[in-house]
Amino acid sequence: KNLLAAVDSFKRVIELEPKDKDLRGKVQLGKVYMDMGYVDEAEQTLRDIVSSSQDANNPETETAKLNLANLLIDGRGKRVEAFQMCAEACATGPSHMAVG
């Protein structure tokens, strides 16, 4: 994998679609940062999605919350905050990731 190229690509997607309603580009950028071990960048990207999303039921917002929860556990050791983030993601109903 060329993760640096992926970062550039997702940043370009975000530039071209700044009002990306489904947030996929931003979520994928956060995930690539996580895969690279760029904890600060991943956390900021995912927190931006969670705080700016107008639609709590948006599947990409839910994905961002779950990714952030994983990051908080694995990258930061913040179990309580991670649990709260998981609870928020689950509060919207069945996960789109679990329902095939």
Side-chain angles (χ1 to χ4, degrees):
K1 289 188 208 182
N2 188 343
L3 296 176
L4 289 175
V7 167
D8 290 339
S9 295
F10 287 120
K11 284 183 176 181
R12 183 72 177 135
V13 166
I14 294 165
E15 280 178 26
L16 294 172
E17 289 292 331
K19 295 182 181 184
D20 179 19
K21 291 181 182 171
D22 66 13
L23 303 169
R24 284 188 187 142
K26 290 179 182 177
V27 170
Q28 289 302 316
L29 178 61
K31 180 70 174 119
V32 171
Y33 280 142
M34 287 174 65
D35 291 345
M36 294 172 70
Y38 288 20
V39 176
D40 293 336
E41 292 85 347
E43 183 176 2
Q44 185 61 52
T45 301
L46 296 169
R47 285 190 187 279
D48 287 348
I49 295 165
V50 170
S51 67
S52 67
S53 179
Q54 302 295 322
D55 182 6
N57 294 320
N58 182 326
E60 298 303 326
T61 303
E62 180 181 287
T63 300
K65 287 179 180 180
L66 293 174
N67 286 344
L68 181 56
N70 286 328
L71 177 78
L72 290 170
I73 290 172
D74 294 339
R76 300 282 191 215
K78 296 181 177 180
R79 289 178 288 188
V80 172
E81 188 178 357
F83 177 78
Q84 291 169 336
M85 194 59 58
C86 281
E88 282 183 32
C90 294
T92 60
S95 170
H96 74 284
M97 296 182 336
V99 178

